[in-house]
Amino acid sequence: QNTPLMPPASVEVYKEFGEKPGLIKLMDDFMIRLVANPVTGPSFAPANQVRIKAELVEQFCQLLSGPCTYQGMSMKTAHASLHINKPQFNALVEELQKSMDAMNIPFRAQNQLLAQLAPMYRDVITVK
Ligand code: HEM
């Protein structure tokens, strides 16, 4: 996790995501969408999806003030060699929104998570 510009979301929001089991379900849905999307698919199809999902669960749990400590790579390190551009970043966020809608996560809670993720564009996007 780099440059946390927002205070973590409240633990109430973690509950609205269904805690750990909710996040696991969310990531299963999200990864299917990421692989199917023509903009993000080429990055995720060849990757270790099981491991990325597990890391995302821990990361989102921490961002939502759940009882987790993300121990994966920094966003800068994880994405350094992936040549990610802005359309890819935006496509990932859109797929996440679809997954959150599919899980009936309240809109306000969705926005709490998105506010945590938005500043990460600085570390994730390396291609103009
Ligand atoms: C806010 C946006 C993003 C977040 C929060 C995020 C989060 C993560 C996390 C937690 C990991 C696992 C790190 C680890 O293994 O220790 C990861 C890896 C990865 N991410 Fe992202 N990511 C974002 C954007 C993107 C985008 C836009 C793409 C490509 C379209 C992408 C592609 C990947 C790939 C391919 C890996 C696996 C790298 C590897 O296996 O070495 N990510 N990401």
Side-chain angles (χ1 to χ4, degrees), residues 4 13 15 17 19-22 24 37 44-45 55 63 66 70 73 78 81 83 91 94 104 114 120 123 125 128:
V13 179
K15 290 183 185 149
F17 273 81
E19 307 189 358
K20 206 69 170 274
I24 291 168
N37 185 307
F44 287 98
E55 295 292 358
L63 291 172
Y70 173 65
M73 285 185 266
S81 60
H83 310 292
E94 266 180 41
N104 293 313
L114 295 173
M120 295 179 185
D123 294 323
I125 298 174
K128 285 270 170 190

mmCIF file of all heavy atoms in Angstrom, residues 4 13 15 17 19-22 24 37 44-45 55 63 66 70 73 78 81 83 91 94 104 114 120 123 125 128:
data_model
loop_
_atom_site.group_PDB
_atom_site.id
_atom_site.type_symbol
_atom_site.label_atom_id
_atom_site.label_comp_id
_atom_site.label_asym_id
_atom_site.label_seq_id
_atom_site.Cartn_x
_atom_site.Cartn_y
_atom_site.Cartn_z
ATOM 1 N N PRO A 4 -1.314 6.409 1.223
ATOM 2 C CA PRO A 4 -2.726 6.416 1.623
ATOM 3 C C PRO A 4 -3.169 7.856 1.868
ATOM 4 O O PRO A 4 -2.736 8.481 2.820
ATOM 5 C CB PRO A 4 -2.757 5.587 2.916
ATOM 6 C CG PRO A 4 -1.366 5.583 3.411
ATOM 7 C CD PRO A 4 -0.445 5.994 2.304
ATOM 8 N N VAL A 13 -18.544 -0.136 6.893
ATOM 9 C CA VAL A 13 -18.489 -0.388 5.453
ATOM 10 C C VAL A 13 -17.986 -1.809 5.190
ATOM 11 O O VAL A 13 -18.504 -2.511 4.319
ATOM 12 C CB VAL A 13 -17.606 0.677 4.757
ATOM 13 C CG1 VAL A 13 -17.526 0.409 3.265
ATOM 14 C CG2 VAL A 13 -18.148 2.069 5.026
ATOM 15 N N LYS A 15 -18.572 -4.308 7.017
ATOM 16 C CA LYS A 15 -19.740 -5.168 7.253
ATOM 17 C C LYS A 15 -20.691 -5.140 6.062
ATOM 18 O O LYS A 15 -21.281 -6.162 5.704
ATOM 19 C CB LYS A 15 -20.458 -4.743 8.535
ATOM 20 C CG LYS A 15 -19.627 -5.081 9.762
ATOM 21 C CD LYS A 15 -20.343 -4.735 11.053
ATOM 22 C CE LYS A 15 -19.407 -4.987 12.242
ATOM 23 N NZ LYS A 15 -19.676 -4.069 13.352
ATOM 24 N N PHE A 17 -19.883 -4.916 3.085
ATOM 25 C CA PHE A 17 -19.295 -5.781 2.047
ATOM 26 C C PHE A 17 -19.423 -7.259 2.406
ATOM 27 O O PHE A 17 -18.953 -8.119 1.650
ATOM 28 C CB PHE A 17 -17.816 -5.410 1.825
ATOM 29 C CG PHE A 17 -17.626 -4.296 0.828
ATOM 30 C CD1 PHE A 17 -17.793 -2.966 1.189
ATOM 31 C CD2 PHE A 17 -17.300 -4.571 -0.503
ATOM 32 C CE1 PHE A 17 -17.627 -1.930 0.267
ATOM 33 C CE2 PHE A 17 -17.133 -3.546 -1.432
ATOM 34 C CZ PHE A 17 -17.298 -2.236 -1.043
ATOM 35 N N GLU A 19 -18.081 -8.705 5.094
ATOM 36 C CA GLU A 19 -16.855 -9.152 5.760
ATOM 37 C C GLU A 19 -16.047 -10.078 4.840
ATOM 38 O O GLU A 19 -16.158 -9.997 3.624
ATOM 39 C CB GLU A 19 -17.197 -9.788 7.118
ATOM 40 C CG GLU A 19 -18.048 -8.825 7.943
ATOM 41 C CD GLU A 19 -18.283 -9.244 9.387
ATOM 42 O OE1 GLU A 19 -17.829 -10.310 9.817
ATOM 43 O OE2 GLU A 19 -18.925 -8.464 10.096
ATOM 44 N N LYS A 20 -15.240 -10.943 5.416
ATOM 45 C CA LYS A 20 -14.334 -11.777 4.613
ATOM 46 C C LYS A 20 -15.077 -12.628 3.575
ATOM 47 O O LYS A 20 -14.690 -12.636 2.399
ATOM 48 C CB LYS A 20 -13.497 -12.645 5.559
ATOM 49 C CG LYS A 20 -12.152 -13.105 5.043
ATOM 50 C CD LYS A 20 -11.165 -11.965 4.915
ATOM 51 C CE LYS A 20 -9.759 -12.444 4.626
ATOM 52 N NZ LYS A 20 -8.974 -12.800 5.808
ATOM 53 N N PRO A 21 -16.162 -13.334 3.959
ATOM 54 C CA PRO A 21 -16.842 -14.159 2.945
ATOM 55 C C PRO A 21 -17.399 -13.320 1.800
ATOM 56 O O PRO A 21 -17.386 -13.755 0.638
ATOM 57 C CB PRO A 21 -17.990 -14.821 3.732
ATOM 58 C CG PRO A 21 -17.583 -14.738 5.165
ATOM 59 C CD PRO A 21 -16.744 -13.495 5.304
ATOM 60 N N GLY A 22 -17.868 -12.116 2.110
ATOM 61 C CA GLY A 22 -18.387 -11.228 1.073
ATOM 62 C C GLY A 22 -17.283 -10.797 0.122
ATOM 63 O O GLY A 22 -17.480 -10.746 -1.108
ATOM 64 N N ILE A 24 -14.521 -12.435 -0.527
ATOM 65 C CA ILE A 24 -14.099 -13.596 -1.325
ATOM 66 C C ILE A 24 -15.048 -13.785 -2.509
ATOM 67 O O ILE A 24 -14.622 -13.978 -3.655
ATOM 68 C CB ILE A 24 -14.015 -14.860 -0.440
ATOM 69 C CG1 ILE A 24 -12.838 -14.721 0.548
ATOM 70 C CG2 ILE A 24 -13.864 -16.130 -1.287
ATOM 71 C CD1 ILE A 24 -12.811 -15.766 1.659
ATOM 72 N N ASN A 37 -13.077 -9.055 -19.894
ATOM 73 C CA ASN A 37 -13.017 -7.707 -20.479
ATOM 74 C C ASN A 37 -11.817 -7.615 -21.440
ATOM 75 O O ASN A 37 -10.694 -7.918 -21.057
ATOM 76 C CB ASN A 37 -12.883 -6.677 -19.345
ATOM 77 C CG ASN A 37 -12.925 -5.253 -19.854
ATOM 78 O OD1 ASN A 37 -12.181 -4.871 -20.747
ATOM 79 N ND2 ASN A 37 -13.803 -4.461 -19.277
ATOM 80 N N PHE A 44 -4.766 -10.178 -17.080
ATOM 81 C CA PHE A 44 -5.151 -11.121 -16.026
ATOM 82 C C PHE A 44 -5.197 -12.576 -16.478
ATOM 83 O O PHE A 44 -4.983 -13.473 -15.663
ATOM 84 C CB PHE A 44 -6.500 -10.712 -15.407
ATOM 85 C CG PHE A 44 -6.370 -9.490 -14.539
ATOM 86 C CD1 PHE A 44 -6.683 -8.232 -15.015
ATOM 87 C CD2 PHE A 44 -5.893 -9.595 -13.236
ATOM 88 C CE1 PHE A 44 -6.540 -7.088 -14.223
ATOM 89 C CE2 PHE A 44 -5.738 -8.470 -12.429
ATOM 90 C CZ PHE A 44 -6.065 -7.215 -12.923
ATOM 91 N N ALA A 45 -5.481 -12.807 -17.758
ATOM 92 C CA ALA A 45 -5.618 -14.192 -18.215
ATOM 93 C C ALA A 45 -4.373 -15.030 -17.906
ATOM 94 O O ALA A 45 -4.487 -16.146 -17.399
ATOM 95 C CB ALA A 45 -5.976 -14.232 -19.693
ATOM 96 N N GLU A 55 -4.827 -11.872 -2.510
ATOM 97 C CA GLU A 55 -4.186 -10.608 -2.102
ATOM 98 C C GLU A 55 -5.196 -9.471 -2.091
ATOM 99 O O GLU A 55 -5.172 -8.604 -1.209
ATOM 100 C CB GLU A 55 -3.020 -10.263 -3.039
ATOM 101 C CG GLU A 55 -1.861 -11.233 -2.997
ATOM 102 C CD GLU A 55 -1.077 -11.225 -1.695
ATOM 103 O OE1 GLU A 55 -1.393 -10.427 -0.797
ATOM 104 O OE2 GLU A 55 -0.138 -12.039 -1.585
ATOM 105 N N LEU A 63 -8.347 -1.975 3.683
ATOM 106 C CA LEU A 63 -8.830 -0.645 3.280
ATOM 107 C C LEU A 63 -10.188 -0.335 3.893
ATOM 108 O O LEU A 63 -10.532 0.824 4.120
ATOM 109 C CB LEU A 63 -8.934 -0.556 1.750
ATOM 110 C CG LEU A 63 -7.622 -0.563 0.968
ATOM 111 C CD1 LEU A 63 -7.905 -0.664 -0.517
ATOM 112 C CD2 LEU A 63 -6.800 0.695 1.272
ATOM 113 N N GLY A 66 -11.273 -3.751 8.073
ATOM 114 C CA GLY A 66 -11.498 -5.093 8.597
ATOM 115 C C GLY A 66 -10.257 -5.592 9.335
ATOM 116 O O GLY A 66 -9.217 -4.919 9.331
ATOM 117 N N TYR A 70 -2.718 -6.383 4.942
ATOM 118 C CA TYR A 70 -2.252 -6.725 3.601
ATOM 119 C C TYR A 70 -0.739 -6.885 3.625
ATOM 120 O O TYR A 70 -0.027 -5.980 4.062
ATOM 121 C CB TYR A 70 -2.661 -5.622 2.618
ATOM 122 C CG TYR A 70 -2.075 -5.793 1.238
ATOM 123 C CD1 TYR A 70 -2.434 -6.880 0.440
ATOM 124 C CD2 TYR A 70 -1.165 -4.879 0.723
ATOM 125 C CE1 TYR A 70 -1.901 -7.044 -0.824
ATOM 126 C CE2 TYR A 70 -0.629 -5.030 -0.548
ATOM 127 C CZ TYR A 70 -0.995 -6.114 -1.317
ATOM 128 O OH TYR A 70 -0.459 -6.277 -2.573
ATOM 129 N N MET A 73 2.655 -7.258 -2.207
ATOM 130 C CA MET A 73 3.562 -6.242 -2.742
ATOM 131 C C MET A 73 2.919 -4.861 -2.706
ATOM 132 O O MET A 73 1.695 -4.735 -2.731
ATOM 133 C CB MET A 73 3.886 -6.572 -4.206
ATOM 134 C CG MET A 73 4.850 -7.706 -4.408
ATOM 135 S SD MET A 73 5.232 -7.876 -6.171
ATOM 136 C CE MET A 73 4.046 -9.122 -6.667
ATOM 137 N N ALA A 78 4.071 -4.242 -7.562
ATOM 138 C CA ALA A 78 3.231 -5.284 -8.185
ATOM 139 C C ALA A 78 2.969 -4.987 -9.659
ATOM 140 O O ALA A 78 2.838 -5.906 -10.466
ATOM 141 C CB ALA A 78 1.908 -5.411 -7.434
ATOM 142 N N SER A 81 6.091 -3.787 -13.923
ATOM 143 C CA SER A 81 6.497 -4.319 -15.242
ATOM 144 C C SER A 81 5.297 -4.643 -16.130
ATOM 145 O O SER A 81 5.444 -5.292 -17.149
ATOM 146 C CB SER A 81 7.344 -5.573 -15.041
ATOM 147 O OG SER A 81 6.575 -6.537 -14.360
ATOM 148 N N HIS A 83 3.099 -2.433 -17.600
ATOM 149 C CA HIS A 83 2.789 -1.436 -18.644
ATOM 150 C C HIS A 83 1.306 -1.093 -18.677
ATOM 151 O O HIS A 83 0.648 -1.184 -19.714
ATOM 152 C CB HIS A 83 3.248 -1.925 -20.020
ATOM 153 C CG HIS A 83 4.660 -2.397 -20.039
ATOM 154 N ND1 HIS A 83 5.723 -1.538 -19.878
ATOM 155 C CD2 HIS A 83 5.193 -3.638 -20.133
ATOM 156 C CE1 HIS A 83 6.855 -2.228 -19.909
ATOM 157 N NE2 HIS A 83 6.560 -3.520 -20.052
ATOM 158 N N ALA A 91 -11.061 0.599 -16.827
ATOM 159 C CA ALA A 91 -11.842 -0.614 -17.108
ATOM 160 C C ALA A 91 -11.914 -1.495 -15.860
ATOM 161 O O ALA A 91 -12.967 -2.070 -15.548
ATOM 162 C CB ALA A 91 -11.222 -1.380 -18.275
ATOM 163 N N GLU A 94 -14.442 -0.039 -13.534
ATOM 164 C CA GLU A 94 -15.809 -0.300 -14.024
ATOM 165 C C GLU A 94 -16.248 -1.725 -13.730
ATOM 166 O O GLU A 94 -17.397 -1.961 -13.339
ATOM 167 C CB GLU A 94 -15.881 -0.059 -15.535
ATOM 168 C CG GLU A 94 -16.328 1.341 -15.879
ATOM 169 C CD GLU A 94 -16.404 1.564 -17.384
ATOM 170 O OE1 GLU A 94 -16.878 0.656 -18.096
ATOM 171 O OE2 GLU A 94 -15.987 2.651 -17.816
ATOM 172 N N ASN A 104 -25.030 -6.454 -4.617
ATOM 173 C CA ASN A 104 -25.955 -5.561 -3.898
ATOM 174 C C ASN A 104 -25.291 -4.777 -2.766
ATOM 175 O O ASN A 104 -25.894 -4.559 -1.703
ATOM 176 C CB ASN A 104 -27.150 -6.342 -3.337
ATOM 177 C CG ASN A 104 -28.033 -6.877 -4.443
ATOM 178 O OD1 ASN A 104 -28.366 -6.137 -5.367
ATOM 179 N ND2 ASN A 104 -28.372 -8.146 -4.377
ATOM 180 N N LEU A 114 -14.054 2.836 -3.476
ATOM 181 C CA LEU A 114 -13.475 3.480 -4.663
ATOM 182 C C LEU A 114 -12.599 4.666 -4.278
ATOM 183 O O LEU A 114 -11.567 4.915 -4.913
ATOM 184 C CB LEU A 114 -14.588 3.906 -5.634
ATOM 185 C CG LEU A 114 -15.379 2.741 -6.247
ATOM 186 C CD1 LEU A 114 -16.555 3.257 -7.051
ATOM 187 C CD2 LEU A 114 -14.478 1.858 -7.101
ATOM 188 N N MET A 120 -4.493 5.222 -6.046
ATOM 189 C CA MET A 120 -3.491 4.224 -6.440
ATOM 190 C C MET A 120 -3.120 4.335 -7.912
ATOM 191 O O MET A 120 -2.158 3.704 -8.350
ATOM 192 C CB MET A 120 -4.001 2.816 -6.130
ATOM 193 C CG MET A 120 -4.182 2.568 -4.645
ATOM 194 S SD MET A 120 -4.808 0.914 -4.347
ATOM 195 C CE MET A 120 -5.045 0.996 -2.560
ATOM 196 N N ASP A 123 0.491 4.845 -8.731
ATOM 197 C CA ASP A 123 1.455 3.750 -8.634
ATOM 198 C C ASP A 123 1.204 2.657 -9.663
ATOM 199 O O ASP A 123 2.099 1.876 -9.963
ATOM 200 C CB ASP A 123 1.382 3.128 -7.232
ATOM 201 C CG ASP A 123 1.842 4.102 -6.165
ATOM 202 O OD1 ASP A 123 2.786 4.858 -6.445
ATOM 203 O OD2 ASP A 123 1.263 4.107 -5.067
ATOM 204 N N ILE A 125 -0.526 3.074 -12.908
ATOM 205 C CA ILE A 125 -0.411 3.481 -14.313
ATOM 206 C C ILE A 125 1.022 3.923 -14.589
ATOM 207 O O ILE A 125 1.536 4.833 -13.941
ATOM 208 C CB ILE A 125 -1.405 4.614 -14.642
ATOM 209 C CG1 ILE A 125 -2.841 4.120 -14.448
ATOM 210 C CG2 ILE A 125 -1.187 5.127 -16.069
ATOM 211 C CD1 ILE A 125 -3.897 5.205 -14.601
ATOM 212 N N LYS A 128 1.621 6.248 -20.585
ATOM 213 C CA LYS A 128 0.772 7.403 -20.965
ATOM 214 C C LYS A 128 -0.257 6.985 -21.995
ATOM 215 O O LYS A 128 0.043 6.252 -22.913
ATOM 216 C CB LYS A 128 1.650 8.528 -21.548
ATOM 217 C CG LYS A 128 2.420 9.269 -20.496
ATOM 218 C CD LYS A 128 1.630 10.449 -19.957
ATOM 219 C CE LYS A 128 2.363 10.991 -18.742
ATOM 220 N NZ LYS A 128 1.727 11.948 -17.953
#
